[in-house]
Amino acid sequence: EPDNYDHRFHGPVQAKEALASSLNIPAVRVVELVGVDNFRNLLGELGFRALGDGDHYGPSIALGTADITLFDLTQAYVALANGGAWRSLRFRHADRALRGKSSLRILSAEAASEVSATTSSSSASEGSMKPFVDSVIAARSDAGSSAMS
């Protein structure tokens, strides 16, 4: 059973406030709502390459139980900074598996902006993570991501 870091129940909170306040229970609930496999697939599209299937993690994937590399985490932050568009990081000795991939729209610009603003603020502000959740659900219902030009 998930618990918040302060071992208190905070009642109903908006997803944006939960993210900014690092509340565990709402994070797990959001993953349950969008589906563990959908969330895991989104992480894969953001560049997390070494993930097992969703059943391996269960809803605890919302709490950071997935094994990730700093490179993959940086790749995901680049997508947030680029308004939700994934672009391959370029290094002198780039990973051949990433080289050659085109830019892909993983999140809507609105969702990327919302997550970036929330995670960079020191206090939660009014609003909701609805655009992010909607983006995850919409992305999963598409047959695939379309390449951006």
Side-chain angles (χ1 to χ4, degrees):
E1 186 75 20
D3 196 11
N4 289 315
Y5 67 92
D6 59 3
H7 305 290
R8 291 183 24 225
F9 180 70
H10 293 264
V13 296
Q14 293 181 343
K16 182 176 181 177
E17 179 184 348
L19 180 61
S21 301
S22 297
L23 299 179
N24 296 338
I25 295 170
V28 169
R29 183 69 181 126
V30 167
V31 168
E32 288 173 338
L33 288 172
V34 300
V36 174
D37 286 328
N38 289 336
F39 187 75
R40 183 257 171 254
N41 290 342
L42 174 65
L43 293 177
E45 289 178 15
L46 284 169
F48 295 97
R49 301 171 291 167
L51 297 173
D53 64 30
D55 290 339
H56 175 75
Y57 304 105
S60 70
I61 195 170
L63 306 178
T65 58
D67 294 323
I68 62 170
T69 66
L70 180 57
F71 179 87
D72 291 347
L73 182 61
T74 303
Q75 187 74 61
Y77 277 113
V78 167
L80 288 174
N82 285 332
W86 185 93
R87 295 186 192 283
S88 180
L89 293 177
R90 296 187 185 160
F91 294 99
R92 191 176 311 168
H93 300 288
D95 182 345
R96 292 192 186 273
L98 293 176
R99 193 180 298 163
K101 284 192 175 179
S102 63
S103 172
L104 300 173
R105 168 83 45 209
I106 304 300
L107 302 173
S108 70
E110 179 184 15
S113 176
E114 189 78 21
V115 172
S116 294
T118 300
T119 57
S120 65
S121 70
S122 59
S123 63
S125 57
E126 290 184 13
S128 110
M129 290 291 293
K130 187 174 182 335
F132 175 73
V133 173
D134 289 347
S135 178
V136 171
I137 292 169
R140 297 287 51 86
S141 65
D142 292 342
S145 298
S146 59
M148 293 180 54
S149 54

